Amino acid sequence: MRRTGKLLMAIFFGFNLIFASGCFFTGSQGSGDDNIEASDFTLDPAREYKIEFMMWGAKDEVDNYTALIDKFMDENENITVSITTQDSTQYMSTLTGRLSGTMPDLFYLPEYEFRPWVDSGRLLSISNGFTEEEYSSLWATAVDWYSYNRAKKTLGVSEGSDLYCLPKDIGPWTLMYNVDMVEEMVRNGKLTQGEADLLADSDNALTWKQFTDICVKIQSYFGMEKNNDKFYAIPYYELSSAIWSNNADYFDENAMHSTISSDEFCETIEWLWDLMYTYKVVPKSTGDSAQNMFLARNAAFCWVGPYLTPMYHQQKMNYRLLPVPYNGENADARSTTWIGTLGLAISKSTKSPAAALALMKYLSLNESAQKDFYARGQLIPNLKSMALDTQTFLSEKDDSVALWPQNRSVYCDIVDGFGGDTKAALGKAGGDKIGGKVRPHYHTFENSWLTALNTEIADIYALKDKADIRARLKAYDPKMQSYLDHSNQIAGIIVE
């Protein structure tokens, strides 16, 4: 077996990079056509290929990918892959610095960096290297996320768009709860069986009111009755999950105009304020991490994604997934949380597109590799048919899913985006009430608007009077708009 060459630290450069805002391009660069001929994606068996793959990850993930790439090279003896790893906090600045030199052939690209990179012409379109069968094997959401029309500067699949990345993984982020704690409350008459059944329902999300009422009871029992001043029902609440689950958003469809002063957005911030101050089920601040609070039974709820599966299994946590609550008083609201994803991208400057694409497909689409990844608890399958297979990933008996929570179908339900595919696979009737969206800064050309808004909302949470929230958001709205205008102007888009 050939061993992968690894560069444990990426190359350092003798100059400083400014990348804090998430933007480093000031308009489209390079050719307007990112396509190459389909024949250029065909491996030449008589040629020797040497490519570089750049990634980040904890030791376990790096080891897993090293083993997988060794297997890839065994199956493709004319391709040699070297792996460059970098700490996640330095990854994007290091990758950006390499634009002035030699870029890695294949590399990780977070979804929230996709738009500036693709718009500036730094990525190679892989559209001509794919068959219809390969397209259809992926979750439709993943294909949509990584498609872009550079001429019209529009995200998503549309006429004239190209596919630029494949998902390294797809990471829905949702709530979970400690089953043992809930069962203890039912036994002691502190929570009804009906309320426990609501929590255990994987197909129907709680309303905000139902969730709040349950949190208050949990806080009263584990916090007040047990005299535990470190206990809170939930360590924090995800802003985007709350906003979207009230049919609100940060901006309009094309990220042109701010919508943070809408009634629905304001209602959301008021509810989150209530969780902290009126009901006292969320701490104003904490000296411990959310995960540590959950593991120590100082919280009954916490947030979780697939990549945490091995850790919670190792800790022997008895937990179930929970669709995020929605505002039941808003007829248009649905349970909607965020989905994080890492893309696998090919540099437009690569000299070996065929080898780079072959490795990209292997890491994202190879059935054996995908099964190995989910058996290790690293990700839900990128292959839709595998993720929804009741004989494998959704099986109740297959040993390969021993690490996963029993109702892992919630992850799939979020990813299928109200499409009903998960319910259909499980033979369940009724409409799909659970979905997800890619993180909000995916839609913009730079990310400073989100950092600034989070700072503003943190200050709003500290207001002593909930009645002041709407006025504060309305006053901030012009500043939010200025951030969006700046983001679009970077790419040459003028907001009217």
Side-chain angles (χ1 to χ4, degrees):
M1 175 184 291
R2 292 179 298 151
R3 300 302 301 170
T4 313
K6 289 200 285 186
L7 304 176
L8 293 181
M9 291 299 291
I11 300 169
F12 288 93
F13 298 87
F15 52 87
N16 293 323
L17 296 166
I18 299 175
F19 195 72
S21 68
C23 180
F24 49 88
F25 301 131
T26 56
S28 295
Q29 303 172 32
S31 167
D33 186 3
D34 306 319
N35 285 286
I36 59 176
E37 296 297 326
S39 58
D40 292 327
F41 284 120
T42 302
L43 287 169
D44 180 355
R47 178 182 168 186
E48 291 292 324
Y49 297 92
K50 291 184 179 181
I51 59 173
E52 179 190 358
F53 171 49
M54 186 168 173
M55 64 174 291
W56 79 73
K59 183 180 184 302
D60 286 350
E61 182 170 347
V62 173
D63 289 346
N64 288 345
Y65 271 80
T66 299
L68 184 62
I69 292 172
D70 282 339
K71 186 177 178 182
F72 168 80
M73 290 193 295
D74 288 341
E75 296 174 12
N76 297 270
E77 294 185 352
N78 60 333
I79 302 176
T80 300
V81 181
S82 63
I83 301 177
T84 300
T85 63
Q86 180 60 269
D87 180 84
S88 60
T89 61
Q90 301 296 320
Y91 178 86
M92 285 309 303
S93 59
T94 302
L95 181 65
T96 304
R98 294 190 59 176
L99 286 167
S100 60
T102 302
M103 284 288 291
D105 301 277
L106 181 68
F107 52 91
Y108 280 3
L109 188 68
E111 87 280 13
Y112 50 82
E113 301 291 353
F114 173 71
R115 195 171 191 183
W117 276 76
V118 68
D119 188 70
S120 62
R122 300 297 184 181
L123 306 183
L124 183 67
S125 166
I126 56 176
S127 297
N128 289 338
F130 268 75
T131 65
E132 285 300 319
E133 183 179 359
E134 288 171 325
Y135 273 119
S136 62
S137 70
L138 287 162
W139 293 97
T141 45
V143 175
D144 197 59
W145 292 334
Y146 292 121
S147 295
Y148 191 73
N149 185 320
R150 283 188 66 208
K152 296 182 179 179
K153 297 183 181 294
T154 53
L155 291 159
V157 175
S158 64
E159 185 177 354
S161 67
D162 282 297
L163 180 65
Y164 288 90
C165 296
L166 288 183
K168 173 257 182 186
D169 58 14
I170 298 172
W173 192 246
T174 192
L175 281 168
M176 62 178 169
Y177 68 93
N178 185 312
V179 175
D180 295 335
M181 295 175 78
V182 169
E183 290 179 348
E184 178 184 335
M185 289 189 67
V186 173
R187 286 195 306 271
N188 292 324
K190 305 298 181 178
L191 205 64
T192 69
Q193 186 59 53
E195 289 168 321
D197 291 342
L198 287 174
L199 288 170
D201 189 344
S202 300
D203 301 315
N204 296 285
L206 297 168
T207 65
W208 282 356
K209 184 179 186 310
Q210 290 170 329
F211 179 73
T212 302
D213 290 345
I214 289 173
C215 281
V216 168
K217 290 185 177 183
I218 289 173
Q219 186 68 40
S220 176
Y221 179 67
F222 284 104
M224 296 176 65
E225 289 191 35
K226 290 182 176 285
N227 197 29
N228 182 0
D229 58 5
K230 294 181 179 179
F231 183 87
Y232 285 91
I234 178 170
Y236 74 99
Y237 206 95
E238 286 284 351
L239 180 61
S240 293
S241 301
I243 289 168
W244 293 334
S245 294
N246 193 26
N247 197 37
D249 214 328
Y250 300 90
F251 35 66
D252 60 10
E253 184 178 2
N254 295 314
M256 297 288 188
H257 301 100
S258 168
T259 56
I260 66 166
S261 60
S262 70
D263 287 342
E264 293 81 5
F265 196 101
C266 294
E267 285 171 357
T268 303
I269 305 304
E270 288 169 347
W271 178 64
L272 295 174
W273 188 95
D274 274 335
L275 292 180
M276 280 187 279
Y277 290 94
T278 303
Y279 303 109
K280 298 178 172 60
V281 297
V282 175
K284 297 166 193 163
S285 62
T286 176
D288 207 351
S289 72
Q291 289 176 18
N292 286 344
M293 288 179 66
F294 188 70
L295 288 169
R297 289 172 59 99
N298 285 328
F301 297 97
C302 197
W303 296 87
V304 67
Y307 78 97
L308 291 169
T309 300
M311 185 271 288
Y312 283 117
H313 177 78
Q314 185 179 34
Q315 296 293 328
K316 296 182 171 54
M317 288 297 299
N318 183 15
Y319 70 98
R320 282 182 65 85
L321 303 180
L322 184 74
V324 298
Y326 69 101
N327 184 3
E329 296 180 4
N330 182 343
D332 296 319
R334 298 187 291 183
S335 171
T336 311
T337 192
W338 61 260
I339 306 170
T341 173
L342 267 179
L344 295 168
I346 298 176
S347 170
K348 194 173 180 180
S349 63
T350 182
K351 305 299 183 186
S352 303
L357 182 66
L359 179 58
M360 174 193 274
K361 287 183 179 182
Y362 196 85
L363 297 179
S364 183
L365 303 178
N366 180 271
E367 288 190 16
S368 176
Q370 286 292 295
K371 185 160 187 176
D372 182 65
F373 280 144
Y374 82 67
R376 295 172 185 265
Q378 194 162 317
L379 50 74
I380 66 169
N382 292 330
L383 298 169
K384 181 178 174 180
S385 60
M386 182 181 289
L388 299 181
D389 191 340
T390 55
Q391 301 302 310
T392 54
F393 186 66
L394 295 186
S395 170
E396 295 182 3
K397 300 177 181 178
D398 196 307
D399 291 341
S400 68
V401 292
L403 275 62
W404 292 83
Q406 185 270 333
N407 65 334
R408 58 195 165 279
S409 62
V410 172
Y411 283 143
C412 299
D413 208 354
I414 292 167
V415 174
D416 78 27
F418 304 106
D421 298 320
T422 304
K423 293 193 74 172
L426 295 172
K428 295 181 178 180
D432 188 349
K433 302 175 183 178
I434 299 164
K437 294 183 179 182
V438 69
R439 287 182 282 191
H441 40 327
Y442 158 83
H443 295 278
T444 53
F445 291 96
E446 59 92 46
N447 305 333
S448 59
W449 69 269
L450 184 57
T451 303
L453 180 63
N454 283 336
T455 299
E456 179 67 14
I457 288 179
D459 290 342
I460 290 174
Y461 287 158
L463 291 173
K464 295 190 186 222
D465 190 346
K466 185 173 78 170
D468 294 335
I469 290 175
R470 288 175 182 257
R472 184 70 174 261
L473 285 168
K474 186 175 181 180
Y476 187 78
D477 196 42
K479 189 169 185 180
M480 172 72 170
Q481 185 61 52
S482 70
Y483 276 109
L484 295 179
D485 290 346
H486 174 66
S487 170
N488 287 299
Q489 287 165 7
I490 286 171
I493 298 173
I494 305 301
V495 180
E496 297 179 356

